[in-house]
Amino acid sequence: MTRNSSDFNRLSASPLPSGHVFYLADGTRCPFCQELLRCDPEPLEDGASFTLDCPACFSTIVRSE
């Protein structure tokens, strides 16, 4: 079986204050409530750390410190 490029999700990107870029596959859903996640990580105070929380249930999906 071959895979077409259309089988893969596109990536959304959000720049972080540290200069790094956070990528999230389009269509990714929260594992807790199945809400569609946005590629909108929240930078933490130090600027190098971030968290991605579900907009519906507020569960932390990804956190980097």
Side-chain angles (χ1 to χ4, degrees):
M1 179 177 172
T2 61
R3 294 186 73 143
N4 296 329
S5 61
S6 62
D7 291 342
F8 298 99
N9 289 338
R10 294 185 143 195
L11 294 177
S12 293
S14 288
L16 298 167
S18 65
H20 292 93
V21 178
F22 177 80
Y23 294 95
L24 184 69
D26 292 346
T28 301
R29 295 193 174 272
C30 173
F32 304 103
C33 73
Q34 300 305 308
E35 178 72 18
L36 192 62
L37 297 174
R38 295 174 294 199
C39 187
D40 191 20
E42 185 68 31
L44 300 178
E45 289 181 21
D46 65 3
S49 303
F50 67 90
T51 184
L52 178 67
D53 298 330
C54 175
C57 71
F58 306 106
S59 296
T60 299
I61 307 303
V62 176
R63 185 176 181 99
S64 174
E65 294 183 353

